[in-house]
Amino acid sequence: MLGLLVLTPIIAGVIAYLLDNRASKLILYIFQFLYAGLAFFIFLNVKENGPIVWNVGGYTDGLALSLYADAISIFMVLMTAVFYIAFLIYATRETYFKGRFYFLFMTLQGLMMGLFLSSDLFNIFVFLEVSTVVVAILIMYNKEKQAIYDGMIYFFVNVIGTAFLLFGIGMLYRTFGLLDIRAIKESMTLLDGPRAVVLPYGMMMVTVSLKTAVTPLFSWLPKAHGTPSAPPVVSAVLSGLYIKSGVYMFIRFNDMFSPVIDMHVFFFWIGFFTSLVGFIMALGQKDIKLILAYHTVSQIGLIMMGLNMASEIAFWGAVYHIFNHAIFKSTLFLTAGMIYDEYGTRNVYKIRGLFKRMPWVAVATTFAILGITGAPFFNGSISKYMIAHGTYDYGVTLLLNIINLGTMMSFIKYSTMLFGNNPKEGHAKTDRFALVASVSMGIASFFTGIFGEALTQFLFNYEVHVNVEEYIQKGMVYVLMIVAGIAFYHGIVKHGGLITRIGHLELTFNGIITAMAGYFIVIVTYLSLII
């Protein structure tokens, strides 16, 4: 049954490609709802009975090509399947939503499922390589000059990046004679020490860090997620879902090496600097898609901090933030596409009066902004609450508050679009399908906050209790953050200067490759010093 989760989206994409446009859309809608139902059924099965393993050909577990579904992987599968419904609805009347796009978009879903479910390292490599090709084509889909450039940068950077993974897998296979993640983890205990796996660990972490877009390996992400002509659903699926495959592999690979290697401290600081650099770069942008793209970098940094705080509540808070980020960032990219179509510009300083011109789009955008900034009762407040409770160190709390302040400043800037004079008379004629999808996702930012405690229990079997007094205190801190954010925005950010110049800094292709090599050397050197 796990094999169906990987194969059927690709088959559905092929069928939709071969049929006429109207029949194809109907088939995709019916398929996606049934597919999400299947994912939910398997999710309940895993929740009640524990992990599911499917070995291809019935070969011995550990030696066979395996698909493995546990609490985290099946959650990622379910999240992807459900969000794809919203993406398909959004794209219903878009001009690009036809044959070739059906195939590529649905194939990407199947490849993501393969990444989430594969227990075999070489299979993961294959899924990464193929998905890199598919994503590059989707970025270049409209064949505009800038999109082709961005897509090719993405393609070559990620192909070189996955080569590190292949070399690391080869070294592990030479050491253990195994490719299954679970079997390798068990075999790690037989090693005399970690020195035998330092090099493969370093190589694999380069690939994972590149896919996760942490500092200093994130320069490809704004090009891929923020390229001007890429369809909004492509930007949404890349930022909301596909980027999480890197985070997921980080969790899996570090768990595999956990018997001999512990890099929590290192990656905690990588997460902090990623988040810091992400929001600083976002503050220097005026293109709304680039603001959102750089804030994906920042939020991934926050997730990495939570995963590496050596705390159970922070870990599950980070996993819940993966879900929350997928909701509010997808909403923001979808509404950004609608805003651009109406205003004809992506310049945040030239878009005004959104509440008057596109009221429902403004509502969806507002809900997503409240989610990403961690407003009380919205989803980001719950996951950030859990991450913050992973430490009693005031220094770490200060770091988290700095990140929250940076996020606040960025989205105060972004929210200036909502107000002001309406440049045209009346309301815009908005695509109803796109509007329904966007508003539904925006409202989800609210309900996944209101029912955050119940959802963490249901999704992860992790029980969290939000202390009312502490939650009220954090609400008061949120209000103070708004005041401080407004002051910083009008005092520093709005006038540009140094922040704008910093925002336009980016690594060239050669610079990104050099950064990968340097990152590998840093990881290996750090490991050599601590073991």
Side-chain angles (χ1 to χ4, degrees), residues 373-376 381 384-385 388-389 394 397-409 412 468-486 488:
T373 55
S381 67
K384 290 181 179 183
Y385 175 92
H389 273 66
Y394 288 108
T397 302
L398 176 62
L399 298 181
L400 294 173
N401 285 331
I402 290 172
I403 294 168
N404 288 338
L405 179 60
T407 303
M408 191 71 71
M409 285 190 290
I412 286 170
V468 176
E469 290 184 4
E470 291 182 0
Y471 197 69
I472 292 173
Q473 289 175 2
K474 290 190 178 294
M476 295 171 65
V477 171
Y478 180 83
V479 173
L480 294 175
M481 288 278 188
I482 291 177
V483 175
I486 292 173
F488 277 113

Side-chain angles (χ1 to χ4, degrees), residues 69-88:
D70 64 359
I72 296 180
S73 60
I74 199 61
F75 155 72
M76 301 293 285
V77 166
L78 179 61
M79 177 180 70
T80 302
V82 172
F83 286 9
Y84 248 73
I85 296 174
F87 296 152
L88 290 175

Side-chain angles (χ1 to χ4, degrees), residues 139-151 227-230 340 346:
I139 292 170
M140 299 184 288
Y141 191 78
N142 286 324
K143 301 178 183 177
E144 292 187 8
K145 183 178 180 180
Q146 185 63 47
I148 291 172
Y149 173 78
D150 292 340
T227 193
S229 64
Y340 170 66
R346 286 180 297 274

Side-chain angles (χ1 to χ4, degrees), residues 454-530:
L455 273 172
T456 52
Q457 174 69 45
F458 177 72
L459 293 173
F460 316 123
N461 284 330
Y462 182 77
E463 191 172 352
V464 60
H465 296 290
V466 176
N467 184 285
V468 176
E469 290 184 4
E470 291 182 0
Y471 197 69
I472 292 173
Q473 289 175 2
K474 290 190 178 294
M476 295 171 65
V477 171
Y478 180 83
V479 173
L480 294 175
M481 288 278 188
I482 291 177
V483 175
I486 292 173
F488 277 113
Y489 171 72
H490 287 285
I492 300 174
V493 178
K494 189 176 180 179
H495 302 292
L498 179 61
I499 289 180
T500 300
R501 291 195 294 273
I502 292 173
H504 287 84
L505 296 175
E506 62 178 30
L507 294 177
T508 63
F509 175 78
N510 290 337
I512 297 172
I513 304 307
T514 303
M516 278 193 269
Y519 190 80
F520 169 72
I521 292 171
V522 169
I523 289 178
V524 172
T525 302
Y526 180 85
L527 270 174
S528 300
L529 292 174
I530 66 172

Side-chain angles (χ1 to χ4, degrees), residues 3-52:
L4 293 175
L5 291 173
V6 179
L7 292 175
T8 51
I10 301 172
I11 295 171
V14 172
I15 294 172
Y17 175 74
L18 296 175
L19 297 177
D20 69 86
N21 202 39
R22 182 173 296 180
S24 296
K25 289 181 180 179
L26 181 61
I27 286 173
L28 288 182
Y29 298 146
I30 294 173
F31 166 78
Q32 196 61 43
F33 276 101
L34 293 175
Y35 184 74
L38 174 63
F40 186 69
F41 173 77
I42 298 176
F43 170 82
L44 292 178
N45 194 357
V46 171
K47 182 179 173 66
E48 293 175 8
N49 303 315
I52 299 174

